[in-house]
Coordinates of all heavy atoms in Angstrom, one line a residue:
M1 N 2.9 -2.6 -18.5 CA 2.8 -1.7 -17.4 C 1.8 -0.6 -17.9 O 1.9 -0.1 -19.0 CB 4.2 -1.2 -17.1 CG 4.1 -0.2 -16.0 SD 5.7 0.3 -15.3 CE 6.7 0.8 -16.6
Q2 N 1.1 -0.2 -16.9 CA 0.2 0.9 -17.2 C 0.7 2.2 -16.4 O 0.9 2.1 -15.1 CB -1.3 0.5 -16.8 CG -2.3 1.6 -17.1 CD -3.6 1.2 -16.6 OE1 -3.8 0.2 -15.8 NE2 -4.6 1.9 -16.9
L3 N 0.8 3.2 -17.1 CA 1.2 4.5 -16.4 C 0.1 5.3 -16.1 O -0.8 5.6 -16.9 CB 2.3 5.3 -17.4 CG 2.9 6.6 -16.9 CD1 3.7 6.3 -15.7 CD2 3.6 7.2 -17.9
K4 N 0.0 5.8 -14.9 CA -1.1 6.7 -14.5 C -0.5 8.0 -14.0 O 0.5 8.1 -13.4 CB -1.9 6.1 -13.3 CG -2.6 4.9 -13.8 CD -3.4 4.3 -12.6 CE -4.1 3.0 -13.0 NZ -5.0 2.5 -11.9
T5 N -1.2 9.2 -14.3 CA -0.8 10.5 -13.8 C -1.9 11.0 -13.0 O -3.1 10.6 -13.1 CB -0.5 11.4 -15.0 OG1 -1.6 11.5 -15.8 CG2 0.6 10.8 -15.7
F6 N -1.7 11.8 -12.0 CA -2.6 12.5 -11.0 C -2.5 13.9 -11.1 O -1.3 14.4 -11.2 CB -2.4 11.8 -9.7 CG -2.6 10.3 -9.8 CD1 -1.5 9.5 -9.8 CD2 -3.8 9.8 -9.6 CE1 -1.7 8.1 -9.8 CE2 -4.1 8.4 -9.5 CZ -2.9 7.6 -9.7
N7 N -3.6 14.6 -10.9 CA -3.5 16.1 -10.8 C -3.1 16.7 -9.5 O -2.8 17.9 -9.4 CB -4.8 16.7 -11.2 CG -5.2 16.4 -12.7 OD1 -4.3 16.3 -13.6 ND2 -6.4 16.1 -13.0
S8 N -3.1 15.8 -8.5 CA -2.8 16.3 -7.1 C -2.2 15.1 -6.3 O -2.4 14.0 -6.6 CB -4.0 16.9 -6.4 OG -5.0 15.8 -6.2
E9 N -1.6 15.5 -5.2 CA -0.9 14.5 -4.3 C -2.2 13.8 -3.7 O -2.0 12.5 -3.5 CB -0.1 15.2 -3.2 CG 0.5 14.2 -2.3 CD 1.3 14.9 -1.1 OE1 1.3 16.1 -1.0 OE2 1.9 14.2 -0.4
S10 N -3.2 14.5 -3.2 CA -4.3 13.8 -2.6 C -5.0 12.8 -3.5 O -5.4 11.7 -3.1 CB -5.3 14.8 -2.2 OG -5.9 15.4 -3.2
A11 N -5.1 13.0 -4.8 CA -5.7 12.0 -5.8 C -4.6 10.8 -5.8 O -5.2 9.7 -6.0 CB -5.8 12.7 -7.2
F12 N -3.4 11.1 -5.8 CA -2.5 10.0 -5.9 C -2.6 9.1 -4.6 O -2.6 7.8 -4.7 CB -1.0 10.5 -6.1 CG 0.0 9.5 -5.9 CD1 0.2 8.4 -6.8 CD2 0.8 9.4 -4.8 CE1 1.1 7.4 -6.6 CE2 1.8 8.4 -4.5 CZ 1.9 7.5 -5.5
I13 N -2.7 9.7 -3.5 CA -2.8 8.9 -2.2 C -4.1 8.1 -2.2 O -4.0 7.0 -1.9 CB -2.7 9.9 -1.0 CG1 -1.3 10.6 -1.0 CG2 -3.1 9.2 0.2 CD1 -1.2 11.7 0.0
E14 N -5.2 8.8 -2.6 CA -6.5 8.2 -2.7 C -6.5 6.9 -3.5 O -7.0 5.8 -3.2 CB -7.6 9.1 -3.2 CG -9.0 8.6 -3.1 CD -10.0 9.6 -3.5 OE1 -9.8 10.7 -3.2 OE2 -11.0 9.2 -4.3
A15 N -5.9 7.0 -4.8 CA -5.8 5.9 -5.6 C -4.9 4.8 -5.1 O -5.2 3.6 -5.4 CB -5.3 6.4 -7.0
S16 N -3.8 5.2 -4.4 CA -2.9 4.2 -3.8 C -3.6 3.4 -2.8 O -3.5 2.2 -2.7 CB -1.7 4.9 -3.3 OG -1.0 5.6 -4.4
V17 N -4.3 4.1 -2.0 CA -4.9 3.4 -0.9 C -6.1 2.5 -1.4 O -6.3 1.4 -1.0 CB -5.5 4.5 0.1 CG1 -6.6 3.8 1.1 CG2 -4.4 5.1 0.9
K18 N -6.8 3.0 -2.4 CA -7.8 2.1 -3.1 C -7.2 0.9 -3.7 O -7.7 -0.2 -3.5 CB -8.5 3.0 -4.2 CG -9.5 2.2 -5.1 CD -10.8 1.7 -4.2 CE -11.9 1.1 -5.1 NZ -12.0 -0.3 -5.0
Y19 N -6.1 0.9 -4.3 CA -5.3 -0.2 -4.8 C -5.0 -1.1 -3.7 O -5.2 -2.4 -3.8 CB -4.1 0.3 -5.5 CG -3.2 -0.9 -6.1 CD1 -3.7 -1.5 -7.3 CD2 -2.2 -1.3 -5.4 CE1 -2.9 -2.6 -7.7 CE2 -1.4 -2.4 -5.9 CZ -1.8 -3.1 -7.0 OH -1.1 -4.1 -7.5
L20 N -4.5 -0.6 -2.6 CA -4.1 -1.5 -1.5 C -5.3 -2.2 -0.9 O -5.3 -3.4 -0.5 CB -3.3 -0.6 -0.4 CG -2.0 -0.2 -0.8 CD1 -1.3 0.7 0.2 CD2 -1.1 -1.4 -0.9
E21 N -6.5 -1.4 -0.8 CA -7.7 -2.1 -0.3 C -8.1 -3.2 -1.2 O -8.5 -4.2 -0.8 CB -8.7 -1.0 -0.2 CG -8.6 0.0 0.9 CD -9.8 0.9 1.0 OE1 -9.9 1.8 -0.1 OE2 -10.5 0.9 2.0
D22 N -8.0 -3.0 -2.5 CA -8.4 -4.0 -3.5 C -7.5 -5.3 -3.3 O -7.9 -6.4 -3.4 CB -8.3 -3.4 -4.9 CG -9.4 -2.5 -5.2 OD1 -10.4 -2.3 -4.4 OD2 -9.3 -1.7 -6.3
V23 N -6.2 -5.1 -3.2 CA -5.3 -6.1 -3.0 C -5.6 -6.9 -1.7 O -5.7 -8.1 -1.7 CB -3.8 -5.6 -2.9 CG1 -2.9 -6.7 -2.4 CG2 -3.4 -5.2 -4.2
C24 N -6.0 -6.2 -0.6 CA -6.3 -6.9 0.7 C -7.7 -7.5 0.6 O -7.9 -8.5 1.4 CB -6.3 -5.8 1.7 SG -4.7 -5.2 2.1
A25 N -8.5 -7.2 -0.4 CA -9.8 -7.9 -0.6 C -9.7 -9.2 -1.3 O -10.6 -9.9 -1.5 CB -10.8 -6.9 -1.1
S26 N -8.5 -9.5 -1.9 CA -8.2 -10.6 -2.8 C -8.6 -11.9 -2.0 O -8.5 -12.0 -0.8 CB -6.8 -10.6 -3.2 OG -6.4 -11.8 -3.7
D27 N -8.9 -12.9 -2.7 CA -9.1 -14.2 -2.1 C -7.8 -14.9 -1.8 O -7.8 -16.0 -1.2 CB -10.0 -15.1 -3.0 CG -11.4 -14.5 -3.0 OD1 -11.9 -13.9 -2.0 OD2 -12.2 -14.8 -4.0
D28 N -6.7 -14.5 -2.4 CA -5.4 -15.1 -2.2 C -5.0 -14.8 -0.7 O -4.9 -13.7 -0.3 CB -4.4 -14.4 -3.1 CG -4.6 -14.8 -4.5 OD1 -5.3 -15.8 -4.8 OD2 -4.2 -14.0 -5.5
K29 N -4.7 -15.8 0.1 CA -4.3 -15.6 1.5 C -2.9 -16.3 1.6 O -2.7 -17.4 1.1 CB -5.3 -16.2 2.3 CG -6.7 -15.7 2.2 CD -6.7 -14.2 2.5 CE -8.2 -13.6 2.3 NZ -8.3 -12.3 2.0
P30 N -2.0 -15.9 2.4 CA -2.0 -14.6 3.0 C -1.7 -13.4 2.1 O -1.2 -13.7 1.0 CB -1.0 -14.7 4.1 CG 0.0 -15.7 3.5 CD -0.8 -16.6 2.7
I31 N -2.1 -12.3 2.5 CA -1.8 -11.1 1.6 C -0.4 -10.5 2.2 O -0.2 -10.2 3.4 CB -2.8 -10.0 1.8 CG1 -4.2 -10.5 1.5 CG2 -2.5 -8.8 1.0 CD1 -4.4 -11.0 0.2
R32 N 0.5 -10.5 1.3 CA 1.9 -10.0 1.7 C 2.2 -8.6 1.0 O 2.1 -8.6 -0.2 CB 2.9 -11.0 1.2 CG 2.8 -12.4 1.9 CD 3.8 -13.4 1.5 NE 3.7 -14.6 2.2 CZ 3.2 -15.7 1.8 NH1 2.7 -15.7 0.6 NH2 3.1 -16.7 2.6
L33 N 2.4 -7.6 1.9 CA 2.7 -6.3 1.5 C 4.1 -5.9 1.9 O 4.5 -5.9 3.0 CB 1.7 -5.3 2.0 CG 0.2 -5.5 1.7 CD1 -0.6 -4.5 2.4 CD2 0.0 -5.3 0.2
A34 N 4.9 -5.6 0.8 CA 6.3 -5.0 1.1 C 6.2 -3.6 1.2 O 5.7 -2.9 0.1 CB 7.2 -5.6 0.0
L35 N 6.7 -3.1 2.2 CA 6.6 -1.5 2.4 C 8.0 -0.9 2.4 O 8.9 -1.3 3.2 CB 5.9 -1.3 3.8 CG 4.6 -1.9 4.1 CD1 4.1 -1.6 5.5 CD2 3.6 -1.4 3.1
S36 N 8.1 0.1 1.6 CA 9.4 0.7 1.5 C 9.5 1.8 2.6 O 8.4 2.4 3.0 CB 9.4 1.5 0.1 OG 10.7 2.2 0.0
G37 N 10.7 2.0 3.0 CA 10.9 3.1 4.1 C 11.0 4.5 3.6 O 10.8 4.7 2.3
G38 N 11.4 5.4 4.4 CA 11.5 6.8 4.0 C 10.3 7.6 4.0 O 9.2 7.1 4.5
A39 N 10.5 8.9 3.7 CA 9.3 9.8 3.9 C 8.3 9.8 2.8 O 7.3 10.2 2.9 CB 9.9 11.3 4.1
T40 N 8.8 9.4 1.5 CA 8.0 9.5 0.3 C 6.7 8.7 0.5 O 5.6 9.3 0.3 CB 8.8 9.0 -0.9 OG1 10.0 9.9 -1.0 CG2 8.0 9.1 -2.2
P41 N 6.6 7.5 1.0 CA 5.4 6.8 1.0 C 4.6 7.0 2.3 O 3.5 6.5 2.5 CB 5.8 5.3 0.9 CG 7.1 5.2 1.5 CD 7.8 6.5 1.1
A42 N 5.1 7.8 3.2 CA 4.5 8.0 4.5 C 3.0 8.6 4.4 O 2.2 8.0 5.1 CB 5.3 9.0 5.3
P43 N 2.7 9.5 3.5 CA 1.3 9.9 3.4 C 0.3 8.7 3.1 O -0.8 8.6 3.5 CB 1.2 11.0 2.4 CG 2.7 11.5 2.4 CD 3.5 10.3 2.6
I44 N 0.8 7.8 2.2 CA 0.0 6.7 1.7 C -0.2 5.8 2.9 O -1.3 5.3 3.2 CB 0.6 6.0 0.6 CG1 0.7 6.9 -0.7 CG2 0.0 4.7 0.2 CD1 1.6 6.4 -1.7
Y45 N 0.9 5.5 3.7 CA 0.8 4.6 4.8 C -0.1 5.1 5.9 O -1.0 4.4 6.5 CB 2.2 4.4 5.4 CG 3.2 3.6 4.5 CD1 4.5 3.8 4.8 CD2 2.8 2.9 3.5 CE1 5.5 3.0 4.0 CE2 3.7 2.3 2.6 CZ 5.0 2.4 2.9 OH 6.0 1.8 2.0
R46 N -0.1 6.4 6.2 CA -1.0 7.0 7.1 C -2.5 6.9 6.6 O -3.3 6.5 7.5 CB -0.7 8.5 7.3 CG 0.5 8.7 8.3 CD 0.7 10.3 8.6 NE 1.0 11.1 7.5 CZ 2.3 11.4 7.1 NH1 3.3 10.8 7.7 NH2 2.5 12.1 6.2
A47 N -2.7 7.2 5.4 CA -4.1 7.0 5.0 C -4.6 5.5 5.0 O -5.7 5.2 5.3 CB -4.3 7.6 3.5
F48 N -3.7 4.5 4.6 CA -4.0 3.2 4.6 C -4.2 2.6 6.0 O -5.1 1.9 6.3 CB -3.0 2.5 3.8 CG -3.3 0.9 3.7 CD1 -4.4 0.5 3.0 CD2 -2.4 0.0 4.3 CE1 -4.5 -0.9 3.0 CE2 -2.6 -1.3 4.2 CZ -3.7 -1.7 3.5
A49 N -3.4 3.2 6.9 CA -3.5 2.8 8.3 C -5.0 3.0 8.9 O -5.5 2.2 9.7 CB -2.5 3.4 9.2
K50 N -5.6 4.1 8.4 CA -7.0 4.4 8.9 C -7.9 3.3 8.3 O -8.9 2.9 9.0 CB -7.3 5.7 8.5 CG -6.6 6.9 9.1 CD -6.9 8.2 8.6 CE -6.1 9.3 9.2 NZ -6.3 10.6 8.6
K51 N -7.6 2.8 7.1 CA -8.5 1.8 6.4 C -8.2 0.5 7.1 O -9.1 -0.3 7.4 CB -8.4 1.7 5.0 CG -8.6 3.1 4.3 CD -10.0 3.3 4.2 CE -10.2 4.6 3.3 NZ -11.5 4.7 3.0
V52 N -6.9 0.1 7.2 CA -6.5 -1.3 7.7 C -6.9 -1.5 9.1 O -7.2 -2.6 9.5 CB -5.0 -1.4 7.5 CG1 -4.2 -0.9 8.6 CG2 -4.8 -3.0 7.4
S53 N -7.1 -0.4 9.9 CA -7.6 -0.6 11.3 C -9.0 -1.1 11.4 O -9.3 -1.9 12.3 CB -7.4 0.7 12.1 OG -8.4 1.6 11.6
K54 N -9.7 -1.1 10.3 CA -11.1 -1.5 10.3 C -11.2 -2.9 9.5 O -12.2 -3.5 9.5 CB -12.0 -0.5 9.4 CG -12.1 0.8 10.2 CD -12.8 1.8 9.5 CE -12.8 3.1 10.1 NZ -12.4 4.2 9.4
M55 N -10.1 -3.4 9.0 CA -9.9 -4.7 8.2 C -9.6 -5.8 9.2 O -9.0 -5.5 10.2 CB -9.0 -4.7 7.2 CG -9.2 -3.8 6.1 SD -7.8 -3.9 5.1 CE -8.3 -2.9 3.7
S56 N -9.9 -6.9 8.9 CA -9.4 -8.2 9.5 C -7.9 -8.2 9.2 O -7.6 -8.2 8.0 CB -10.1 -9.5 9.2 OG -9.4 -10.6 9.6
K57 N -7.0 -8.4 10.1 CA -5.6 -8.3 9.9 C -5.0 -9.8 9.9 O -3.8 -9.9 9.8 CB -4.8 -7.4 10.8 CG -5.2 -5.9 10.5 CD -4.6 -5.0 11.7 CE -5.6 -4.6 12.7 NZ -6.9 -4.4 12.4
A58 N -5.8 -10.7 10.1 CA -5.4 -12.1 10.3 C -4.6 -12.6 9.0 O -3.7 -13.4 9.4 CB -6.7 -13.1 10.6
N59 N -4.9 -12.2 7.9 CA -4.3 -12.7 6.6 C -3.3 -11.7 6.1 O -2.9 -11.9 5.0 CB -5.3 -13.1 5.6 CG -6.1 -14.2 6.1 OD1 -5.6 -15.3 6.6 ND2 -7.4 -14.2 6.0
L60 N -3.0 -10.5 6.8 CA -2.0 -9.6 6.2 C -0.6 -9.8 6.9 O -0.4 -10.0 8.1 CB -2.5 -8.2 6.6 CG -3.7 -7.6 6.0 CD1 -4.1 -6.3 6.6 CD2 -3.6 -7.6 4.6
E61 N 0.3 -9.8 6.0 CA 1.7 -9.9 6.4 C 2.5 -8.6 5.8 O 2.4 -8.4 4.6 CB 2.4 -11.2 5.9 CG 1.8 -12.4 6.6 CD 2.5 -13.6 5.9 OE1 3.4 -13.6 5.3 OE2 2.0 -14.8 6.3
F62 N 3.2 -7.9 6.6 CA 3.8 -6.7 6.3 C 5.4 -7.0 6.3 O 5.9 -7.6 7.3 CB 3.5 -5.5 7.1 CG 2.1 -5.1 6.9 CD1 1.2 -5.5 7.9 CD2 1.7 -4.2 5.9 CE1 -0.1 -5.1 7.7 CE2 0.4 -3.9 5.8 CZ -0.6 -4.2 6.7
Y63 N 6.1 -6.6 5.3 CA 7.6 -6.7 5.2 C 8.2 -5.3 4.9 O 7.6 -4.6 4.0 CB 8.0 -7.6 4.2 CG 7.4 -9.0 4.4 CD1 6.2 -9.4 3.9 CD2 8.2 -10.0 5.0 CE1 5.7 -10.7 4.1 CE2 7.7 -11.3 5.3 CZ 6.4 -11.6 4.9 OH 5.9 -12.8 5.0
L64 N 9.2 -5.0 5.6 CA 10.0 -3.7 5.4 C 11.0 -4.0 4.4 O 11.8 -5.0 4.5 CB 10.6 -3.2 6.6 CG 9.6 -2.8 7.7 CD1 10.3 -2.3 8.9 CD2 8.5 -1.7 7.2
V65 N 11.1 -3.2 3.3 CA 12.0 -3.5 2.2 C 12.8 -2.1 2.0 O 12.3 -1.0 2.3 CB 11.4 -3.9 0.9 CG1 10.7 -5.3 1.2 CG2 10.3 -2.8 0.4
D66 N 13.9 -2.2 1.3 CA 14.8 -1.0 0.9 C 15.0 -1.3 -0.6 O 15.5 -2.3 -1.1 CB 16.0 -1.1 1.7 CG 16.8 0.3 1.5 OD1 16.7 0.8 0.4 OD2 17.4 0.6 2.5
E67 N 14.6 -0.2 -1.4 CA 14.8 -0.4 -2.8 C 16.1 -0.1 -3.3 O 16.5 -0.2 -4.5 CB 13.8 0.6 -3.5 CG 14.1 2.1 -3.3 CD 13.7 2.7 -2.0 OE1 13.2 2.0 -1.1 OE2 13.9 3.9 -1.8
R68 N 17.0 0.4 -2.5 CA 18.4 0.7 -2.8 C 19.2 -0.5 -2.9 O 19.0 -1.6 -2.1 CB 19.0 1.7 -1.8 CG 18.4 3.0 -1.8 CD 18.9 3.8 -0.7 NE 18.4 3.2 0.5 CZ 18.7 3.6 1.8 NH1 19.5 4.7 1.9 NH2 18.4 2.9 2.8
Y69 N 20.2 -0.7 -3.7 CA 21.1 -1.8 -3.8 C 22.3 -1.5 -2.9 O 23.0 -0.5 -3.0 CB 21.7 -1.9 -5.2 CG 22.7 -3.1 -5.4 CD1 22.2 -4.4 -5.4 CD2 24.0 -2.8 -5.5 CE1 23.1 -5.4 -5.6 CE2 24.9 -3.9 -5.7 CZ 24.4 -5.1 -5.7 OH 25.3 -6.2 -5.8
V70 N 22.4 -2.3 -1.8 CA 23.3 -2.0 -0.7 C 24.4 -3.1 -0.7 O 24.0 -4.2 -0.7 CB 22.7 -1.9 0.6 CG1 23.7 -1.6 1.7 CG2 21.5 -0.8 0.7

């Protein structure tokens, strides 16, 4: 595992969106993304939504997940 640190929230969001874009550019189809709920990832989702609206969504599958053990 590689640990990364960021100097600001905006740098973290930018790196996260870049990572998601790279995953979506993969030749592996379909692309399955598991999205956690709550307020914490919301800024990343908002930034990614702006990018994904310009992508082909034919091969994207989104799943809602909960990281808590219930």
Side-chain angles (χ1 to χ4, degrees):
M1 175 170 52
Q2 183 181 11
L3 180 64
K4 294 183 180 184
T5 59
F6 299 92
N7 293 326
S8 67
E9 180 182 5
S10 61
F12 170 67
I13 293 169
E14 184 179 322
S16 298
V17 170
K18 173 71 171 107
Y19 176 79
L20 289 170
E21 286 181 295
D22 291 347
V23 168
C24 290
S26 166
D27 289 334
D28 296 334
K29 303 296 181 209
I31 305 297
R32 295 180 176 104
L33 297 174
L35 305 175
S36 182
T40 302
I44 297 167
Y45 297 163
R46 280 192 292 275
F48 183 60
K50 293 175 185 172
K51 302 283 185 169
V52 80
S53 67
K54 297 175 182 129
M55 297 176 171
S56 169
K57 293 172 260 328
N59 293 310
L60 291 177
E61 295 179 8
F62 295 98
Y63 299 89
L64 297 177
V65 298
D66 191 329
E67 70 282 0
R68 297 170 292 178
Y69 181 76
V70 181

